[in-house]
Structures are given as C-alpha cells and as structure tokens.
Amino acid sequence: MKTLVINCGSSSLKYQLIDMETEESLVQGLVERIGIDGSILTQKVEGKNKYVIEENMPNHKTAIKHVLNALVNKEHNIIESMDEIGAVGHRVVHGGEKYSHSVIIDNEVLESIRDCISLAPLHNPPNIIGIEACRELMPNTPMVAVFDTAFHQTMPKEAYICPLPYELYEKYGIRKYGFHGTSHMYVSQKIAEVMGKDIKDLKIVTCHLGNGCSLAAVKGGKSIDTSMGFTPLAGVMMGTRSGSIDPSVISFLMEQYDYTINDIDEILNKKSGVLGISGVSSDFRDVLAESEKGNKRAKLALDIFHYKVRAQIAAYAGIMGGVDVIVFTAGIGENSAITRKECLRGLEFLGFEIDDERNSIRGKIQEISTDTSKVKVYEIPTNEELMIARDTVKLVSKL
Ligand code: AMP
C-alpha cells in the first residue's frame, strides 16, 4: 500500500509517500509559507531534479491540492493517479490522555483532537486543518492520526503527575504528557532489532536532540519517563527553548520588570536555550563553529546543553536501575560527534566505553561504543514518517 504521511505546521507542511510493501520512501516534499506571500512547494525524488511550485497558497487546502498535483506530475513519475494512495497518516501533536495509540480518523476522533487544542494551541490547530483538507480532497481514502504524546501514555503516575494541587490535574488536565513519542518509539524498537534483542529485556535511554530536544527512559519497550512535560517547553535546554527552569522567574519578571505573559512566552519559547545563551544562533552548527573560534558565550551555551543532557541520561539510568543502551537521534544526535561525546563525558561509570573513530561517523545506524563495552551506545537516524506509515497501514488493513 502506498501511504501518504502528512505533518502540518502553522505555515508549513511536510509530506512523504512511502511504499509500504518495501518501506521505501518514494518522495519527500515540503510546502513553506502557507498563508504568507511567497508560498513554495519543493519535492525531492532520489536521482531526479527537484520539482518546485511557486504559487500563492493562501491555506492548507490549496497547499494539499498542490501536493497531490506534485505527486502525479509527469517529471517525477511517482504515481499515475491519486487513487494509488491507499491511506494517509497524519502526525498529530497532542492526543491528551485519550489516545495511547494511533486511531482511524472519523468525526468523533476529529472532535477529540479539537478538544486537545487548549493543551497544544500552536500545534493541534494546523494538524486539524491538514486533516480536514485531506478529507475534503480525498473523501474515500482512510486516514489515521498518529499522536506525538501516545508513546508516553505508559508512564506511571509518579512520573507524570506534577507536584501541584491535585485538582489542577483533575480539573484542567495539567500533567506531564511528553512529546517526540513517535521518534522515541521508532529508535527504541530499531535498536532492539539492531542488537538482536527482545525489547522487553532492554533498558534504553533515547536522546532525541534536534531543534527540540527530549530524552526518554524506555524499559521493556515502554516509555516510563520523558523530559518534555505538559508542553514541549520542559526538560533539557533546546535550540530556542529554555527547558525546565525555576517557575518563579516568570512572576519575578512580571512583577518587578513589567514583562507581560506574551513577553515571557516569547522569551521561553523563542529566545532562550542555545540561542539565548550564545547570542549567536539556535543552529548547533553555527554555535559549534563560533565556539571553536573562541566565542565564550557559544562555548558556555554548549557546556550548559551537555550538562543538562548528561544529568538527564544519568537520572534515567537511575530510575531504570541501570541502562543497557543509550541511543542518540535527530539532527544533532545523529550528526554531531562532539555533542555525543560531551553529553556522555563523566558517565563512563554507567559501564560504556566510546570508540572515537566509530563516533566520528554520522547520519547512519552506528554503534559508537567499543565491542567490549558493557553498556552500548548507538546513533540511530530517526524515521517518524515510517513509524506513522506503519501504524497507518496496520489500522487501515483491519478495515
Ligand atoms: P532537527 O530538528 O532534527 O532537524 O535538528 C536540527 C538541528 O540539528 C539544528 O540545530 C542543526 O544545527 C543540527 N545539526 C544538523 N546537522 C548537524 C551537524 N552536522 N552537526 C551539528 N549539528 C547539526
């Protein structure tokens, strides 16, 4: 079955068409600047020229129409007609407590995703718009919602209940949900396969280090804790997000210096983290380059980042009673040897030994620990799209 995977952001849309007979990605595309001047669709197929559409795309429905046209274009020759798309899998950021698994989308499911808007006001609305647009344009194609929060629904209460008045959880759903679930699930399953072990026997720490960063403790194949929280702002430091800080900083800035809640939101989400400390960029490549040139704040940003990740790895090894394998994934985790090394520095007592030559390889499945290392360390490129497509096919084939 050819499965279209859609990931809608507020002004962007990423897509992939995957042939699920072979799990081969046939085409990848990105639409940017939806609803803004200068909309552009760029589609890539291996070994062929890029296919680009630069046309006004005032909304997601128009963008998806262009995606469907791009998929049937003669130059790329991927599919002859839309009828070849057997199913669509949608990435949905927040499924609240209701969804611990992916689900076939019907009106009721769409309503439940709408109910979660207050929990993810930036993310769920574009996800819903994408689903609605696809349903309108492909009314007979089954669609599945795959939630970023679902994998973490196995966390025990001591991990997900915040130490706040319990009524805030009961009344408003304030608790840890965790995000990047599809990625943590993919790499934890992949590492078990790569090591030839039953996932039920493994204690894994997964480190998803990209623009957003989160770690998870995966024991016996289940997420038992993760670093993001009620929103993706919590946990370790990220590109522009602060990660967890003392919440009193907020009332202090508001009371003493007249910051508004919007200012605070902007600071914590967009002006903090690696960007905020370094003053250089949120992009790790820029900050690494500046640090090498001797920029002290760039170095400090990296030092803090490594420290936070290191502390989180140790904490998760602690709560699992040890660790069998540590996995690095996403843009930074897959590509930056120095970051991996620094995030592990001082944690050798856990039982691993790093092989520097292996660690210098990037962007592919690679063990970076030595053959004799008791605890293993790997980099595993994440593949959230494939995970979404797998879930989609699994559910659709039961229809
Ligand atoms: P993602 O959100 O997974 O796309 O990851 C984006 C992050 O990965 C950005 O901070 C990039 O700077 C970082 N990144 C990508 N390639 C490299 C690289 N070769 N070395 C260090 N960081 C990288």
Side-chain angles (χ1 to χ4, degrees), residues 8 59-61 64 124-134:
C8 265
N59 51 48
H60 285 75
K61 188 171 165 192
I64 288 169
N124 273 25
N127 298 160
I128 292 167
I129 291 168
I131 294 170
E132 284 176 333
C134 281

Side-chain angles (χ1 to χ4, degrees), residues 14 180 208-213 239 274 281-288 329-339 362 382 384:
K14 279 195 228 160
H180 290 148
H208 178 112
L209 309 180
N211 275 323
C213 299
V274 173
S281 165
S282 64
D283 192 304
F284 247 68
R285 285 164 291 201
D286 300 340
V287 182
L288 283 162
T329 193
I332 303 164
E334 290 166 25
N335 290 302
S336 176
I338 182 77
T339 308
R362 68 184 181 93
T382 194
E384 288 160 282

Side-chain angles (χ1 to χ4, degrees), residues 56 118 237:
N56 187 24
S118 62
M237 171 179 174

Side-chain angles (χ1 to χ4, degrees), residues 5-19:
V5 176
I6 299 267
N7 180 357
C8 265
S10 54
S11 64
S12 68
L13 187 164
K14 279 195 228 160
Y15 64 94
Q16 250 190 61
L17 187 69
I18 303 179
D19 182 346

Side-chain angles (χ1 to χ4, degrees), residues 245-255 259 264 267-268:
I245 55 158
D246 182 341
S248 307
V249 170
I250 298 165
S251 51
F252 175 82
L253 286 175
M254 292 178 77
E255 278 168 23
Y259 280 71
I264 301 277
I267 288 173
L268 296 180

